[in-house]
Structure formats: C-alpha cells, structure tokens
C-alpha cells in the first residue's frame, strides 16, 4: 500500500472529522443563521436603502418611499399615524407621505434624523435579514425580497404624533 504523505494525511483526518461534526450539527440545529457584520457589498446595498428613503422623503416621492417598506411595515406605519391623527385613518401609503402631517421641519420622524446623518454604529445581516444600527442605538430592520432590501421596521412617525399615542 502506498504511503500517504504526513501533511496530506493530517488534512484528510481534519476534513473527515469536520465533516462528521458539521453533519451532526446540521441535523440537530434549527436556529436562524448567526448575524454578522455585513460585507462591503451588503453594507453598500443596505445603506443605499437609507439614502433612498431620505431622498424620497425630502422630495415627497411617496411612491418610492412606500416602495421601500414591506406591506406589513406600511400597514404598521399607517396604524401608528392614524392613532396620533385619526384624520389619516384609511389613507393609502402614498397619501400619508404627501399629507400635511410631515410639513413641519421641526417635527421630523426619528428615522429622518437618523438617516440624515448617514452614520451607522453597526450594519449586520444574517443573509435575508439585516439591521442598520445608528449611533444613538436605534435600529432599522430590513429583509431581502426579490433581490432587493425592504424596510420592515422603522421609526417613521413624527414626534408630535408619537407623543400623543398611548402604549
């Protein structure tokens, strides 16, 4: 029988052991993938969503802004706004952003202040879910659908309406 060179033999043993251990873990583990710091490409794509939201908000481009939110996020945002201002109840997303609710520059939603600085403490992802964490500790949550990122959770209610809500 031919003799296997020592380094190659060690590599084979390590690979075999890793394969056994890895296989057992995959059959017994059902937890979500671990969150990790986003790669440069992921970070660029995720922070572009923040830039797109700010641009859409500043230009009152309701269609684009609403398109950056998941349907569930739009519904949640709509209910939060209606809780603070019943006149907004039942309005579709594009009408909300063009309403006079967002006309006071001193009463901007926290998300606008956060993204306006374009500084992030952390940008993390687990593959299909991501989090943009701002220096003050607040976070936006995103999900990858159809090859692009959509916001699932964002503080997009003006402060005046947030303070009138009861929790």
């Amino acid at each position: 029988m031919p003799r296997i060179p020592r380094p190659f033999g060690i590599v084979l043993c390590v690979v075999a052991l890793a394969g056994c251990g890895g296989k057992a873990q995959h059959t017994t583990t059902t937890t979500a993938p671990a969150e990790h710091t986003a790669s440069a490409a992921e970070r660029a794509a995720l922070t572009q969503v923040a830039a797109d939201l700010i641009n859409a908000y500043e230009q009152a481009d309701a269609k684009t802004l609403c398109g950056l939110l998941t349907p569930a996020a739009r519904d949640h945002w709509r209910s939060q706004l209606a809780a603070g201002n019943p006149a907004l109840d039942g309005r579709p997303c594009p009408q909300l952003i063009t309403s006079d609710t967002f006309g006071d520059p001193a009463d901007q939603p926290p998300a606008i202040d956060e993204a306006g600085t374009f500084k992030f403490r952390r940008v993390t992802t687990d593959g299909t879910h991501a989090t943009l964490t701002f220096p003050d500790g607040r976070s936006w949550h995103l999900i990858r659908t159809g090859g692009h990122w959509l916001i699932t959770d964002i503080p997009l209610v003006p402060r005046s309406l947030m303070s009138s809500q009861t929790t």
Side-chain angles (χ1 to χ4, degrees), residues 2-3 5 10-11 42 45 50 54 65 69 87 89 98 105 109 112 120 151:
R3 186 162 188 241
I10 291 170
V11 169
E42 290 169 325
I54 289 297
L65 189 142
L69 306 173
D89 193 22
T98 57
I112 301 307
F120 306 95
I151 301 167

Side-chain angles (χ1 to χ4, degrees), residues 80-96:
Q80 285 182 312
L81 287 171
N85 182 350
L88 299 175
D89 193 22
R91 288 192 186 183
C93 184
Q95 286 182 8
L96 293 174

Side-chain angles (χ1 to χ4, degrees), residues 69 87 105 109 117 129 145-146:
L69 306 173
T117 65
H129 292 82
T145 56

